[in-house]
Amino acid sequence: MRNYRDLTPHEVERLKDEYPITANRHLAIRYDVSIDGISKLAKNLGWKKDRSSVCTGSGGGHTPTAEEEAWIVQHYPNTPNPEIMQRIDIAERTLYRIARRYGLKKDKRYLSRMRRANLKEASRKCKELGVYMENAERAKIMWQKTKMRPREEWPGYKPGLKPWQQPGMTRRKYVQGRQKAEETMRHQRKMERFRIISGEKQQTKLRLRTNITHSASVQKYRMIQEYDYFAIEGEVDVICYDEQTRRSIRSEETARRHGLKVEAADE
């Protein structure tokens, strides 16, 4: 079997015309080159398969051999379907049938990588075609037309209507949005509480209580307001005093009963 680098310029030109509409399996037999060699040459020269031919697959009803099915089972999770179909010379429905038979699924990391690549390519094409600029100009024109209408006719929030009665909103969407927002807030409070306990700096302005009960927090606040005690950042269960503090033995005993530590500032 020949190396794909040994192909003559005339063969490469002919292969360039045949590659988009011919299965790699047939090309490998015709040019006496391995299927991997055909794929590597196409990748180096930037050749692409014709999508319609790829989806149609083999018109002769090629039946994959045991070795070919084993190759599909091994490479299916991390290989594009068009590449598998052209390599084995099978139709798309045949590939799906084999995948169902063996319970094959695409790898999640592979799917995530392909989605990012597709989004990046789509963004690049949109920038080249000026789609973003065109949308911005269209939005600007729509906004200029909207400003000429009465405020009650503007799209969006309508005064006097319930949140789930607003344009484009239903009760189900409203409830789902509230549930998602509450779940996000619970997670954020949990992470902030963990940062405070760990001695790290908060990333939000949420005011949280950690390691102390509600009654202890109230007692701590009362002592700070009435007797000039003060707290230490990062130690929520400690309250301190100094020379300017009007100490109250009864308040300190109550604070200790609630689990607070009363310490002098010098310590």
Side-chain angles (χ1 to χ4, degrees), residues 22-80:
T22 309
N24 291 357
R25 180 171 174 270
H26 295 167
L27 295 175
I29 297 174
R30 187 176 305 168
Y31 290 92
D32 193 24
V33 180
S34 65
I35 297 178
D36 292 332
I38 295 292
S39 302
K40 189 175 295 185
L41 179 62
K43 182 178 181 181
N44 293 340
L45 299 180
W47 297 345
K48 300 293 184 180
K49 289 290 186 182
D50 181 61
R51 179 61 186 173
S52 60
S53 301
V54 167
C55 292
T56 303
S58 173
H62 170 67
T63 302
T65 63
E67 291 78 8
E68 291 172 339
E69 288 193 4
W71 188 92
I72 293 175
V73 172
Q74 180 181 359
H75 294 86
Y76 182 86
N78 298 285
T79 307

Side-chain angles (χ1 to χ4, degrees), residues 17-160:
D17 297 333
E18 297 176 354
Y19 180 82
I21 58 176
T22 309
N24 291 357
R25 180 171 174 270
H26 295 167
L27 295 175
I29 297 174
R30 187 176 305 168
Y31 290 92
D32 193 24
V33 180
S34 65
I35 297 178
D36 292 332
I38 295 292
S39 302
K40 189 175 295 185
L41 179 62
K43 182 178 181 181
N44 293 340
L45 299 180
W47 297 345
K48 300 293 184 180
K49 289 290 186 182
D50 181 61
R51 179 61 186 173
S52 60
S53 301
V54 167
C55 292
T56 303
S58 173
H62 170 67
T63 302
T65 63
E67 291 78 8
E68 291 172 339
E69 288 193 4
W71 188 92
I72 293 175
V73 172
Q74 180 181 359
H75 294 86
Y76 182 86
N78 298 285
T79 307
N81 288 351
E83 182 177 335
I84 299 175
M85 292 155 55
Q86 284 296 331
R87 180 186 180 94
I88 309 299
D89 188 23
I90 56 177
E92 193 170 19
R93 59 182 179 274
T94 305
L95 178 60
Y96 290 158
R97 185 168 60 250
I98 295 175
R100 286 196 302 269
R101 184 192 310 163
Y102 292 97
L104 304 178
K105 292 184 179 180
K106 295 296 184 181
D107 184 69
K108 292 184 178 179
R109 288 178 294 182
Y110 165 78
L111 292 177
S112 178
R113 187 168 63 251
M114 293 301 297
R115 291 191 190 100
R116 289 196 299 268
N118 292 338
L119 289 174
K120 187 176 181 179
E121 180 65 17
S123 178
R124 184 187 65 81
K125 288 186 178 180
C126 287
K127 290 180 180 179
E128 290 181 356
L129 298 175
V131 176
Y132 295 145
M133 296 297 297
E134 182 179 352
N135 291 343
E137 291 295 332
R138 187 182 298 110
K140 185 177 180 181
I141 294 173
M142 292 177 61
W143 171 239
Q144 294 296 335
K145 293 181 179 179
T146 301
K147 289 197 300 184
M148 303 300 295
R149 297 158 56 185
R151 182 65 178 88
E152 293 76 14
E153 299 179 5
W154 284 17
Y157 181 78
K158 300 294 184 181

